[in-house]
Amino acid sequence: MAHEPTRSGPTHYRCLGVGVGPANLSLASLLHGRTDVPNLFLDRKESFSWHDGQQLPGNTLQVSLFKDLVTLADPRNPFSFLSYLHDNGRLYHFLNAQFDAVPRVEFRNYLAWASRCNKNIVFGEAVREVGFDGVFTVRTDRRTVTADNVVVGVGSEPWVPPQVQGALGPTQFHISEYLNQAKNLGGKRVVVIGGGQSGAEAFLDMISQPSKDLPRRVSWISRRGNYFPIDDSPFTNDYYMPSHAEYFFSLDRDSRQAFNERHILTSDGISESTLRDIYQRAYLHRFVEGNVDLVGLYPNREVTEVSTGLYGGWQVTARHNDDREAVELFEADVVIWATGFRSTQMDFLDPIADRLERDGDELRIDEDYAVHWDGPDDRRIFVQNAARGQRGLADPNLSLNAWRSQRIADRLGKVSSNDQLPSFIEWSTKMGARAGRDT
C-alpha cells in the first residue's frame, strides 16, 4: 500500500526521538547534518544528566573510550570522545594523564557537550502521547508535531522492591541519590544492599572518609555468593560485538534468558581495581588503625524486609542463601539500595499500545530495533535500551550503542553501512559443514 510522501514544513520530521540519554544521543549524533533525515530529539529534563547522583571522585568507566557515541560506527564523526577532547583543548593533557580508564565524570561531561552541540536536541519538553493517523502525531507539553518514525530512548529508572517504595526518603534511598542524600554519615550505621559496581563504589566511598566523617559501621549485603569481579577477558568481550548480538537475537526466548542469567558478570561485575581498593581499606582499618567494627561484609544473603527499628532508624532482615531458616537482623540509621535500574515506562505510547506486539515484558522488535506492529512498513517506532531479553546484556551497555544507532539510522535513511568483520568465534552452526574445514 502506498503512503503519502513525507510532509514538508517545520513541524514534520523523518525521525522524532523521545528521550536524550546515551542511546538517542548516539543516534542524534549520527544523524546530525543528514538533510535526508530531518530529525528532532526531545527530553523532559531541563538539561542533560547521566547518573549525576553517582559521579563519585575516582569512579571510572568499565568500557573502552572507543565505546563512545559514534566511533565504533563512524570514526570520522565530529561527536567522538576524541573530538570532545580536541574541541576543549585538552587532548594532549588527557594523553599525558595516562588514565587506566576514562573518569566517569569526564565521560558524562563529554555526553553533555555532545547534547549542547546538536541543534536538533531540545531539553525541557516532555512528550505526552504518541498517536498515529498516516504519520505519528506527537503531542508534547508545548506543541504538536508529526513524524514518519519515532525512536524511543527513555532509558531506565531506579528500582527498589515495591514494599519499600513508600519508605524512601533522607535515610532510605536508591544509590542514584547517593551524592545528594549520603551526607553527615559520621558515627552512623549504614547498610548497603546490592553487590554490583554501584554498591561497591558507595561502600568504598564511605570507608575512605577521614576519621571524623567515618560511619560507625558500614554493612554490605549482596545476594551473590561473593563480591565478584567483572569478566572483561577478550573472548568474553565477544559477547559485546555485533556478530554475537545477531546470534543472540536468533535464539529462542528461554535460551536468551538463560544466557543473560549465566553471564551477568560480563556486564554487572565489579571492577577489580574497586575490589582491591575495598580490600586494602578493610585491611588498614582492621589491622593498622584498630577500627575492627567499621567494615561488615555479608554476601550470599537476601534482604527480605526493612522495617522501623526498635530504637529509631531501620531494621534490615536478611536470610542466608545456604541456610534459609536462619534470620539475620541489621540495625541501620541509613539504608542504601544499590539494586539497579529497570526500563522506564512508556505511557506516552498508550494511544497505540494495542497495535504494538510484545515479547514478554518488552516490545517485540525486529533486527533493526523496530517494533512489530499492525501499521505500515514505512512508519515505525524504534526502541533503544529496552530489549535486553531480545538483544542480550549488551543492550543497556555502552558497547553496542553506536552500532545499534547506526542500524536505526540506516533504516531511516534507506542505506546500508559496511559491517565490521565477524568475531573469531563461530557462534552459530553451519549446517552440513565439517568443523575446521572450508564449506
Side-chain angles (χ1 to χ4, degrees):
M1 176 179 178
H3 295 91
E4 65 183 46
T6 298
R7 298 174 186 173
S8 62
T11 61
H12 184 83
Y13 300 90
R14 176 72 175 152
C15 170
L16 190 290
V18 183
V20 184
N24 263 355
L25 184 54
S26 170
L27 179 60
S29 299
L30 291 173
L31 292 178
H32 186 265
R34 290 274 302 272
T35 57
D36 60 320
V37 186
N39 59 91
L40 176 69
F41 289 78
L42 305 174
D43 196 295
R44 63 185 179 183
K45 299 189 300 291
E46 292 300 320
S47 60
F48 182 83
S49 64
W50 184 62
H51 300 304
D52 287 7
Q54 298 175 246
Q55 298 290 355
L56 297 172
N59 288 0
T60 59
L61 284 185
Q62 291 182 299
V63 298
S64 165
L65 63 86
F66 294 116
K67 295 182 176 181
D68 61 12
L69 295 171
V70 295
T71 295
L72 292 180
D74 179 11
R76 295 164 293 188
N77 190 288
F79 288 95
S80 70
F81 181 71
L82 291 181
S83 293
Y84 155 76
L85 293 175
H86 183 270
D87 190 59
N88 286 278
R90 56 176 182 262
L91 182 55
Y92 282 98
H93 305 80
F94 184 85
L95 290 173
N96 291 344
Q98 298 182 11
F99 292 112
D100 292 330
V102 178
R104 194 177 301 166
V105 69
E106 177 79 315
F107 198 79
R108 179 253 177 243
N109 291 342
Y110 152 65
L111 298 175
W113 166 84
S115 72
R116 291 193 303 270
C117 293
N118 194 330
K119 61 180 177 59
N120 296 329
I121 292 175
V122 177
F123 289 100
E125 184 169 355
V127 172
R128 298 303 187 193
E129 65 178 21
V130 176
F132 185 79
D133 182 16
V135 291
F136 292 103
T137 302
V138 181
R139 185 176 66 83
T140 79
D141 54 2
R142 294 185 180 183
R143 53 180 163 167
T144 297
V145 298
T146 58
D148 295 330
N149 302 275
V150 173
V151 184
V152 179
V154 292
S156 56
E157 56 190 3
W159 184 88
V160 297
Q163 62 268 27
V164 303
Q165 290 179 357
L168 297 180
T171 61
Q172 185 173 186
F173 51 87
H174 188 267
I175 192 70
S176 60
E177 296 292 322
Y178 183 82
L179 282 181
N180 298 324
Q181 301 282 21
K183 299 177 180 178
N184 304 316
L185 297 181
K188 295 183 179 179
R189 302 160 300 174
V190 183
V191 171
V192 178
I193 304 169
Q197 180 71 18
S198 60
E201 290 171 350
F203 185 81
L204 175 60
D205 180 68
M206 285 183 282
I207 66 173
S208 300
Q209 296 299 313
S211 297
K212 63 182 180 63
D213 297 325
L214 280 173
R216 172 182 164 189
R217 182 171 178 81
V218 186
S219 301
W220 185 14
I221 304 174
S222 173
R223 286 189 302 179
R224 295 174 183 172
N226 204 338
Y227 303 103
F228 293 115
I230 190 170
D231 186 349
D232 194 31
S233 56
F235 286 104
T236 296
N237 278 328
D238 267 45
Y239 296 152
Y240 297 85
M241 288 181 63
S243 54
H244 186 269
E246 302 286 46
Y247 168 69
F248 183 93
F249 185 66
S250 71
L251 301 175
D252 62 78
R253 187 192 302 177
D254 290 342
S255 297
R256 295 195 303 255
Q257 181 178 348
F259 181 95
N260 283 345
E261 293 173 355
R262 190 165 61 248
H263 297 287
I264 185 65
L265 292 176
T266 67
S267 70
D268 198 30
I270 304 169
S271 297
E272 288 197 26
S273 60
T274 304
L275 291 172
R276 189 179 303 110
D277 288 344
I278 289 173
Y279 202 97
Q280 290 175 356
R281 292 305 310 169
Y283 179 98
L284 292 173
H285 281 300
R286 177 167 296 191
F287 299 127
V288 177
E289 299 164 10
N291 193 353
V292 298
D293 196 43
L294 175 65
V295 174
L297 300 173
Y298 301 93
N300 205 24
R301 291 160 171 86
E302 182 174 1
V303 172
T304 58
E305 184 181 8
V306 177
S307 57
T308 302
L310 295 177
Y311 306 102
W314 304 101
Q315 180 175 274
V316 179
T317 304
R319 293 187 184 276
H320 198 288
N321 292 334
D322 294 333
D323 185 2
R324 301 299 292 174
E325 300 301 319
V327 174
E328 294 176 284
L329 303 178
F330 301 83
E331 297 298 327
D333 301 300
V334 175
V335 177
I336 302 173
W337 291 89
T339 42
F341 298 80
R342 300 291 188 275
S343 295
T344 301
Q345 294 296 313
M346 306 177 194
D347 297 339
F348 50 85
L349 294 179
D350 284 351
I352 57 173
D354 59 347
R355 306 185 64 177
L356 308 176
E357 296 184 22
R358 303 197 67 86
D359 187 304
D361 294 332
E362 300 174 348
L363 292 171
R364 182 171 171 245
I365 59 172
D366 65 15
E367 65 277 5
D368 295 326
Y369 296 87
V371 179
H372 289 269
W373 77 315
D374 64 1
D377 289 340
D378 58 350
R379 304 287 188 263
R380 289 290 186 175
I381 287 183
F382 299 83
V383 292
Q384 301 218 65
N385 189 13
R388 193 172 85 156
Q390 299 168 79
R391 276 299 191 174
L393 296 167
D395 194 60
N397 189 283
L398 291 173
S399 294
L400 293 180
N401 199 22
W403 172 79
R404 178 180 58 203
S405 293
Q406 188 65 65
R407 291 292 291 267
I408 297 172
D410 286 354
R411 181 82 164 262
L412 294 173
K414 300 179 181 179
V415 298
S416 180
S417 298
N418 292 329
D419 290 332
Q420 293 294 303
L421 295 174
S423 165
F424 294 141
I425 299 173
E426 297 286 352
W427 291 115
S428 59
T429 301
K430 291 185 176 180
M431 300 300 294
R434 294 184 181 180
R437 298 185 64 178
D438 295 335
T439 58

